[in-house]
Amino acid sequence: MLTKFPKFKLNVPKYYKIDAEGKTLGRIASKVCNLLTGKYSSHYTPGVDQGNFVIVINASLISISGKKSTHKRYYYSTKRPGALKAELYKSLKVRLPSRILEKAIFGMLPKTALGRKLYKRLYVFSKGLCLKKSAQAYNMPTFTQIC
């Protein structure tokens, strides 16, 4: 008996809209990763791109638990020797609130070329967005609302 792998051409990606207002950071990030990779489908294969497009709105209104707002740090490098920079959650939320959710989702995706391709299908907006006008302007299909 031969194993049949699904073809990339047979996958028709869907568009999902998620409102992140009041949701916990890790829980919504894992839900978005499952939608991006297509793990919910019955014909999921790890090495084949069967994901969807995900649009997250109100990323600035995400909640976290515990003392993470004062203790959590985000690190980045300036590519100079000894120049590792750190930024607290509070200051990053003021400066770039969508970056927090993007980093959480990127950390959950596979660290391969497929993971980078799936990450390009993610759109995070820090405030609410009128998706009906933008969908009509770009001739996008209808959205499936989650959460």
Side-chain angles (χ1 to χ4, degrees):
M1 185 170 167
L2 295 174
T3 303
K4 294 184 179 180
F5 290 103
K7 303 294 182 193
F8 171 72
K9 297 175 186 176
L10 299 177
N11 181 39
V12 178
K14 297 177 186 172
Y15 288 81
Y16 290 97
K17 180 181 85 169
I18 297 178
D19 189 6
E21 183 178 356
K23 305 289 190 300
T24 308
L25 175 64
R27 292 179 186 270
I28 198 161
S30 63
K31 186 174 285 193
V32 168
C33 285
N34 284 338
L35 289 172
L36 284 173
T37 56
K39 282 189 175 182
Y40 61 88
S41 65
S42 62
H43 56 274
Y44 169 71
T45 305
V48 179
D49 179 17
Q50 297 171 339
N52 302 301
F53 290 89
V54 179
I55 299 168
V56 181
I57 59 172
N58 294 326
S60 61
L61 303 175
I62 279 183
S63 65
I64 57 172
S65 61
K67 297 181 179 180
K68 291 186 205 116
S69 62
T70 56
H71 294 305
K72 185 163 179 60
R73 294 176 184 265
Y74 291 93
Y75 294 97
Y76 64 95
S77 175
T78 60
K79 308 293 186 203
R80 302 280 298 170
L84 182 67
K85 303 286 183 179
E87 188 172 10
L88 288 174
Y89 172 84
K90 289 191 305 187
S91 62
L92 186 60
K93 188 168 184 172
V94 170
R95 194 169 62 88
L96 292 168
S98 61
R99 183 74 53 92
I100 294 167
L101 186 60
E102 288 173 358
K103 280 181 159 278
I105 293 169
F106 186 72
M108 293 182 184
L109 287 173
K111 310 300 185 275
T112 59
L114 180 61
R116 291 187 295 273
K117 185 178 180 183
L118 294 174
Y119 183 70
K120 291 178 183 176
R121 293 182 175 184
L122 173 68
Y123 300 95
V124 180
F125 299 101
S126 59
K127 296 182 181 178
L129 181 70
C130 184
L131 292 174
K132 288 184 180 178
K133 291 181 182 177
S134 60
Q136 291 170 357
Y138 295 112
N139 295 325
M140 295 172 93
T142 58
F143 296 101
T144 304
Q145 178 128 6
I146 295 182
C147 296

